[in-house]
Amino acid sequence: MYYSLTKEQRAIRKKEKKVNQVNCPQCPASLQGLLKSKAFCIFCLNYVCKSHIVKQRKDPLDDDKIGKICRECEDQILYTKITSKHEKKEQELQVQYKELQGTLESVNGQFQDLLSQEQTIKYQIEKAQKEFEKREQQIKLNIKEAENRQEQCNQESLKLSEQYRRLVEEKQRKEKEKQVLEKEQENLQNKEQKLQIEKQQIQDQIDIMNENISKLNQEIASITNDQKGQDKGKKNIFSAYGQTTSSLGTIIMSSEISARPSNKKEIRDQPDREDGFCCMKVLPSGSKKKKKA
């Protein structure tokens, strides 16, 4: 391929080949004569018979134009493209091979680690399995205990329901008693109000009696004072007499002669008392002690 040639040099070469070339370079077919069909390959710069012209490609010297190409040049172009791709791919594969070799070594190390981990995991699985069996047995025992407790709870719930029914009945009975007691309380309140009224009336009577008693005490005090004056006069009369004699003998009379006792009760001196004082409990004539209910 003469890619280093210019357009003018390629045109001169084309004219020379047209005059001098006799046969097709790819087959023994003759190219001389007016009726022979032939074409010029822009890559190898040779005339080729029509059967060996494959297709058209861009002109390497002029990108705007398209020229014909023979089979050998086409195969060579394809071969170079394929080999270049293959070389690039081979280089990439070598790089990948080195990377894979490094990763393989790391994977081998990881595999050894995984083997050791597998052994530890197997040991842990066996241990966990034994613990699981123990727990399963414990769970079965717990289930039995729970069933027994449930039966006990059912029995207790029956007892509690019976107790609740009794409590409800007792509550109803207490409510009825409460209603009766409320009625009795109302009656007692009415009676208490009546007793308060009677008590007030009795208190008024007691106040009147206390006033009368205070008046009587004042009169008694004045009478006792008069009685004392009379006793002093009698004592003065008897003191005037002296000693007298008689035939039977001498009689000495005391200057103090006691007064003749009277049938009346002696009224002793009493201190003046304030109004309303009384040493006796005064009750109305018609009052009686109430019996306890």
Side-chain angles (χ1 to χ4, degrees):
M1 295 182 186
Y2 300 96
Y3 293 110
S4 61
L5 298 175
T6 61
K7 289 182 180 181
E8 294 175 353
Q9 290 175 354
R10 189 175 67 179
I12 294 167
R13 185 69 177 269
K14 185 177 181 181
K15 289 178 181 180
E16 289 177 355
K17 286 285 183 180
K18 189 176 182 180
V19 174
N20 296 324
Q21 191 173 356
V22 178
N23 295 324
C24 178
Q26 298 180 16
C27 66
S30 177
L31 299 176
Q32 295 294 328
L34 296 173
L35 298 175
K36 298 290 182 180
S37 61
K38 57 184 177 180
F40 183 74
C41 180
I42 59 175
F43 286 91
C44 63
L45 303 178
N46 290 320
Y47 278 95
V48 184
C49 64
K50 190 176 182 180
S51 60
H52 289 93
I53 293 297
V54 180
K55 60 181 181 179
Q56 295 179 352
R57 283 185 176 273
K58 287 183 179 181
D59 192 347
L61 299 176
D62 192 357
D63 294 334
D64 296 333
K65 292 182 180 181
I66 296 172
K68 294 179 180 180
I69 186 171
C70 65
R71 187 179 295 279
E72 287 184 357
C73 292
E74 180 68 20
D75 292 339
Q76 192 174 1
I77 289 168
L78 292 173
Y79 177 75
T80 53
K81 286 183 178 180
I82 290 167
T83 52
S84 62
K85 287 181 181 179
H86 180 70
E87 287 175 356
K88 288 180 181 179
K89 196 167 185 179
E90 189 176 1
Q91 290 176 359
E92 291 175 356
L93 289 172
Q94 286 179 357
V95 173
Q96 290 178 0
Y97 175 75
K98 289 179 181 179
E99 291 177 355
L100 289 171
Q101 194 171 5
T103 53
L104 181 63
E105 291 177 356
S106 63
V107 166
N108 287 326
Q110 291 177 1
F111 180 72
Q112 295 295 328
D113 295 334
L114 289 172
L115 288 174
S116 61
Q117 289 178 4
E118 185 181 4
Q119 291 177 357
T120 55
I121 288 166
K122 284 181 180 179
Y123 175 73
Q124 290 176 358
I125 288 168
E126 291 176 356
K127 187 177 180 180
Q129 192 172 3
K130 291 179 181 178
E131 290 179 355
F132 177 75
E133 290 176 355
K134 290 181 181 179
R135 287 182 181 178
E136 190 175 5
Q137 292 177 357
Q138 187 67 32
I139 288 165
K140 288 179 180 179
L141 294 173
N142 291 331
I143 289 167
K144 288 181 180 179
E145 290 179 358
E147 289 176 353
N148 295 327
R149 287 179 183 176
Q150 188 175 5
E151 290 178 358
Q152 292 177 0
C153 289
N154 291 328
Q155 292 176 359
E156 289 178 358
S157 64
L158 292 172
K159 290 179 182 179
L160 290 171
S161 62
E162 184 67 22
Q163 290 178 0
Y164 178 74
R165 185 180 61 78
R166 290 177 183 175
L167 288 171
V168 169
E169 291 177 354
E170 188 175 356
K171 183 180 178 182
Q172 292 176 356
R173 184 172 59 79
K174 292 288 184 182
E175 286 178 353
K176 290 179 181 178
E177 291 179 356
K178 184 179 178 181
Q179 291 176 359
V180 173
L181 289 172
E182 286 178 353
K183 290 180 180 179
E184 290 179 356
Q185 187 177 5
E186 289 178 357
N187 295 326
L188 289 172
Q189 287 178 356
N190 294 326
K191 288 180 181 180
E192 187 177 0
Q193 290 177 359
K194 291 179 181 178
L195 289 172
Q196 288 289 338
I197 293 166
E198 291 178 357
K199 183 179 178 182
Q200 187 66 34
Q201 292 175 357
I202 291 166
Q203 187 67 35
D204 294 336
Q205 292 177 2
I206 289 168
D207 292 336
I208 293 166
M209 293 293 291
N210 286 328
E211 289 178 358
N212 293 328
I213 288 166
S214 63
K215 289 178 181 179
L216 288 172
N217 287 328
Q218 290 177 0
E219 290 177 358
I220 289 165
S222 63
I223 290 167
T224 52
N225 290 325
D226 294 337
Q227 188 70 31
K228 285 180 180 180
Q230 291 177 4
D231 291 337
K232 286 180 180 180
K234 288 179 181 181
K235 288 179 181 180
N236 291 324
I237 291 168
F238 284 106
S239 63
Y241 291 98
Q243 294 180 354
T244 58
T245 57
S246 63
S247 60
L248 296 174
T250 303
I251 298 171
I252 299 169
M253 297 179 69
S254 176
S255 62
E256 294 180 358
I257 298 170
S258 61
R260 186 178 179 180
S262 62
N263 293 326
K264 294 182 180 180
K265 292 182 179 180
E266 184 178 356
I267 298 170
R268 296 180 181 180
D269 295 336
Q270 294 181 358
D272 293 335
R273 294 179 176 85
E274 295 179 357
D275 294 340
F277 177 81
C278 181
C279 61
M280 297 173 66
K281 290 183 180 180
V282 179
L283 293 173
S285 60
S287 65
K288 292 182 180 180
K289 290 184 179 180
K290 294 182 180 181
K291 294 181 180 180
K292 292 182 180 180

